[in-house]
Amino acid sequence: MTSLLPIIEELADAADHAARARWLLTVPLSVLIRDQVSVNRLLSAAGFHEGLAYLAAEISALSATRGRDGLAAHTVRMTREHARIGIQIIARGGAEEGKD
């Protein structure tokens, strides 16, 4: 038994980057905010650089000051979407940096 929450243990137990990417895409965003230190540590230990970039983009977007339209700045949203597209490709088993 570890001190990690079960949802974080799923990431820790992921077999490869595709499984990690699927976890990142499906986990509630509140978990990414709440457990960002643990998630960052696990992605770093796995050498999942794209996952780290995606996590940083999500945290940045979720933490950004929003404009009058209720949205984060265009650059923040575009960075988030670019990172998400990359993670979606990996989740489908596409191109990965440093495959396991």
Side-chain angles (χ1 to χ4, degrees):
M1 184 87 176
T2 69
S3 62
L4 298 174
L5 295 172
I7 198 163
I8 304 299
E9 284 184 1
E10 290 175 20
L11 176 61
D13 294 340
D16 55 22
H17 288 343
R20 290 179 194 96
R22 287 189 295 275
W23 185 90
L24 284 166
L25 289 170
T26 58
V27 71
L29 294 174
S30 61
V31 171
L32 293 182
I33 287 281
R34 182 190 67 209
D35 297 310
Q36 62 185 290
V37 173
S38 295
V39 172
N40 190 299
R41 182 181 53 80
L42 291 168
L43 296 174
S44 274
F48 190 24
H49 305 291
E50 295 88 349
L52 288 166
Y54 173 74
L55 177 63
E58 281 290 2
I59 297 301
S60 176
L62 291 168
S63 303
T65 302
R66 298 178 294 153
R68 291 180 188 200
D69 60 0
L71 300 172
H74 181 70
T75 54
V76 172
R77 290 181 289 147
M78 293 308 295
T79 300
R80 180 188 207 182
E81 287 307 310
H82 179 73
R84 183 177 292 146
I85 290 167
I87 289 298
Q88 289 170 334
I89 292 168
I90 294 169
R92 291 192 306 262
E96 295 182 36
E97 179 184 312
K99 284 190 175 187
D100 286 339

